[in-house]
Amino acid sequence: MPGRRISPRLAAAFAAATGGLVFIGALVTALVRLPANRRQFRLSDVAREAEQAGFRALPLVLLLGALIGLILAFQSAIPMRRFGADIFVANLVSVSLLRELGPLLSAVILSGRTGSAFAAELGTMKVNQELDALEVMGLDPVTLLVLPRMAATLLVTPVLTLMMDAAGLIGMTLVMVGFGYSEPAIQAQVQQAASAADLAGGLAKAAVFGAVVAAIGCRAGLATGNGPRAVGLAATAAVVGGIVATILLDGAFAMLFYRLGW
Amino acid sequence: MPIIEASGLAQRFGDRTIFRDVSFTVAAGQVFVLLGGSGCGKSTLMRQLVGLLPPTEGEIAIAGARITGPGAGPALAAARRRFGVMFQSGALFGSLDLLGNVMLPLEMFTDLPRPDRAARASAKLAEVGLADAAGRLPAEISGGMAKRAAIARALALDPPLLFLDEPSAGLDPITAAELDRLILTLRDRRGTSFVVVTHELASILAIGDACLMLDRNAWPDAGGVIAAGPPRVLKAESRHPVVRAFFDRTPLAAEAA
Ligand SMILES: Nc1ncnc2c1ncn2[C@@H]1O[C@H](COP(=O)(O)OP(=O)(O)O)[C@@H](O)[C@H]1O
Ligand SMILES: [Mg+2]
């Protein structure tokens, strides 16, 4: 039927969209059935993934956090100094770290380290027919493989964010001390600028980012195609998808928090 | 009652028809052998039978319950509790050692305490001759060992029906013969039914109660069944040139002589 052909690109986009919806459906189904399928959700898997995604990411998170704190403080101190306002660097850095940069950068690190690893692991399992083997045993790959990974990153990302925040504040403090401010003065400034609500909002965002990055990584792995490059493509899709989703969600959170006056 | 009834099965991928009009029954307690050249659709048919690939056309019933078509999900889930599958590639879980692979179904579907599970899994590994490889990871073993471990995993829950996709390909003749003996023992002692894909002529004649031979050119436009019946009868009586070529194949040395 010529003339009724839709373009292959459109068809691919449509397939990707429906695939995503089907995956969300499978996630919801797995969550609803979780009480009945408790055995397939193994806490030892959650612990192992949490160690991989969390503990092993700590050096990178601390390094990046400290550098961001240092750079932000140093860069903003230069213009603010001209107005004699450089003590407010502490306000600026602490609020932007706790509310935005901590959760965002933690989620970016998670996408690069963990989202890609999930995609590669599950993609390799798919290529090796391990997922088929699970299915014919009557086991649900989503409950057995995806939910523990999501649970692990949901738990671990707020902790990573907290570490990133702390490292950033230390970096900022180093710069401020270098400019001649005393530690208590800086601390007082931070406490005045940033509230517990800022911290809590940032950590809540981080938890959501963590679960979503894991879900996107797992979905990329489960959707792995055939051929020698498929697993690599899945890992790439996981990183790109994780970062894009994090940015979009961050925007959504900004609007939500604004509405809530948070 | 037959353990498998398949009628009018067809599989199309895009505009290619791999096979059509495939119908057969497997009697309980039988070793049913699937034969045919590479690429004729044996693995595809097996994927249909275990519910991984919905047939383009046709119906499948396992132990009397239809597992294809609308609303068959619960029947398929129930049927899966009664069969074990060994994939052509083995499909072992790469993150678990061999013992862990065999223990997984026990952990998921039995209430046995851990030491009992380990004991039972070790016994299954011993049955396929892998007693001393229990702690090895799938990446550290040969293809033939992976297949045997996959058989041990398929046996873990003592299912009454087993699907084996080329279990003896890549095995040395002695191990292959041991595997055949295991299949016959399970059939005779426990009444286990088997669907086995294999190319080994000796093995087919030794273990096959019935067989189905597929060929890519069975129809002008598609593959399908070219012969069905007990292997000995086919060997003795079939006139189909492809069947004859299969059963009469002789070593190259003899041909040259
Ligand atoms: N998912 C699929 N998509 C397209 N073609 C497929 C798919 N699976 C198998 N095929 C094709 O079907 C044919 C039969 O494959 P298979 O069942 O693996 O053969 P056998 O196991 O008999 O060697 C092959 O030509 C293969 O390329
Ligand atoms: Mg095959």
Side-chain angles (χ1 to χ4, degrees):
Chain A
M1 274 173 281
R4 288 192 58 187
R5 281 254 164 92
I6 50 171
S7 88
R9 275 206 191 174
L10 195 64
F14 184 72
T18 45
L21 287 179
V22 168
F23 179 69
I24 292 172
L27 270 182
V28 172
T29 313
L31 277 174
V32 170
R33 294 203 185 141
L34 192 57
N37 291 344
R38 249 194 342 266
R39 258 186 218 202
Q40 294 184 40
F41 181 84
R42 301 199 295 181
L43 288 176
S44 58
D45 288 348
V46 179
R48 194 188 60 225
E49 299 300 340
E51 199 234 328
Q52 283 288 340
F55 190 68
R56 300 200 175 205
L58 262 186
L60 184 55
V61 162
L62 293 175
L63 179 69
L64 188 64
L67 279 176
I68 289 290
L70 276 171
I71 293 165
L72 261 186
F74 198 78
Q75 291 288 352
S76 52
I78 296 166
M80 282 172 89
R81 191 153 234 208
R82 289 174 46 196
F83 305 105
D86 46 351
I87 184 67
F88 293 108
V89 165
N91 304 39
L92 183 133
V93 173
S94 55
V95 171
S96 37
L97 261 181
L98 298 193
R99 290 189 70 126
E100 286 301 329
L101 291 174
L104 200 62
L105 292 176
S106 302
V108 169
I109 290 182
L110 194 79
S111 292
R113 275 191 85 255
T114 307
S116 58
F118 288 174
E121 276 168 29
L122 270 57
T124 306
M125 292 186 74
K126 167 113 185 240
V127 171
N128 290 343
Q129 291 189 301
E130 292 173 46
L131 300 181
D132 289 339
L134 286 177
E135 202 180 328
V136 295
M137 282 182 193
L139 300 172
D140 176 30
V142 173
T143 311
L144 201 73
L145 302 170
V146 178
L147 291 185
R149 285 173 171 75
M150 286 179 68
T153 54
L154 182 93
L155 294 173
V156 142
T157 318
V159 179
L160 288 180
T161 302
L162 196 62
M163 294 296 148
M164 167 112 36
D165 291 347
L169 291 179
I170 291 171
M172 178 269 291
T173 307
L174 287 179
V175 172
M176 298 296 283
V177 169
F179 282 136
Y181 290 98
S182 73
E183 265 176 69
I186 302 165
Q187 224 169 51
Q189 208 65 31
V190 170
Q191 270 162 9
Q192 184 205 325
S195 64
D198 290 328
L199 180 64
L203 297 184
K205 283 206 297 194
V208 174
F209 292 167
V212 170
V213 164
I216 288 173
C218 291
R219 143 94 183 132
L222 294 179
T224 299
N226 294 314
R229 293 180 57 208
V231 174
L233 291 176
T236 307
V239 177
V240 174
I243 293 175
V244 169
T246 301
I247 293 168
L248 292 180
L249 276 173
D250 202 34
F253 270 115
M255 288 196 280
L256 179 74
F257 286 174
Y258 178 74
R259 278 284 171 89
L260 295 177
W262 197 337
Chain B
M1 185 176 59
I3 188 140
I4 301 177
E5 294 158 280
S7 61
L9 294 178
Q11 185 63 49
R12 267 193 295 279
F13 292 119
D15 42 17
R16 233 179 105 208
T17 305
I18 308 298
F19 54 73
R20 64 175 168 88
D21 288 302
V22 174
S23 303
F24 59 91
T25 58
V26 179
Q30 235 187 14
V31 177
F32 187 87
V33 178
L34 281 176
L35 300 174
S38 223
C40 70
K42 303 178 300 292
S43 296
T44 303
L45 178 59
M46 192 97 115
R47 289 175 68 78
Q48 289 184 344
L49 294 176
V50 301
L52 285 173
L53 184 66
T56 319
E57 279 168 31
E59 279 195 357
I60 299 166
I62 291 189
R66 189 171 53 82
I67 61 153
T68 52
L76 176 60
R80 280 180 168 157
R81 308 296 296 273
R82 293 205 224 143
F83 62 67
V85 183
M86 189 219 91
F87 289 90
Q88 192 169 356
S89 64
L92 295 172
F93 302 123
S95 60
L96 302 174
D97 63 14
L98 298 193
L99 190 70
N101 264 280
V102 183
M103 278 171 68
L104 186 76
L106 297 169
E107 181 185 336
M108 292 297 159
F109 297 111
T110 70
D111 293 318
L112 294 173
R114 200 188 148 79
D116 295 6
R117 295 201 303 261
R120 192 152 149 195
S122 307
K124 296 297 176 197
L125 282 173
E127 271 189 87
V128 296
L130 289 176
D132 47 3
R136 307 265 283 278
L137 286 170
E140 304 167 348
I141 60 175
S142 72
M145 290 167 83
K147 289 197 166 181
R148 282 185 285 155
I151 293 174
R153 186 178 67 186
L155 286 172
L157 294 167
D158 295 323
L161 171 62
L162 277 162
F163 293 92
L164 309 177
D165 195 350
E166 304 205 12
S168 44
L171 293 189
D172 63 87
I174 298 175
T175 318
E178 275 169 9
L179 207 57
D180 285 348
R181 214 164 298 133
L182 175 66
I183 290 173
L184 291 182
T185 309
L186 289 171
R187 181 195 66 182
D188 296 339
R189 297 245 176 93
R190 292 213 200 102
T192 308
S193 317
F194 288 86
V195 175
V196 185
V197 175
T198 179
H199 297 290
E200 304 297 319
L201 197 49
S203 172
I204 294 160
L205 294 170
I207 66 173
D209 295 309
C211 76
L212 190 73
M213 190 155 185
L214 302 177
D215 188 73
R216 272 203 284 202
N217 304 311
W219 306 99
D221 56 335
V225 177
I226 52 168
R232 278 167 202 291
V233 174
L234 291 190
K235 180 178 161 64
E237 295 174 8
S238 177
R239 298 262 173 90
H240 194 290
V242 178
V243 181
R244 282 268 56 91
F246 181 81
F247 282 104
D248 297 342
R249 65 192 149 148
T250 39
L252 276 179
E255 253 170 46

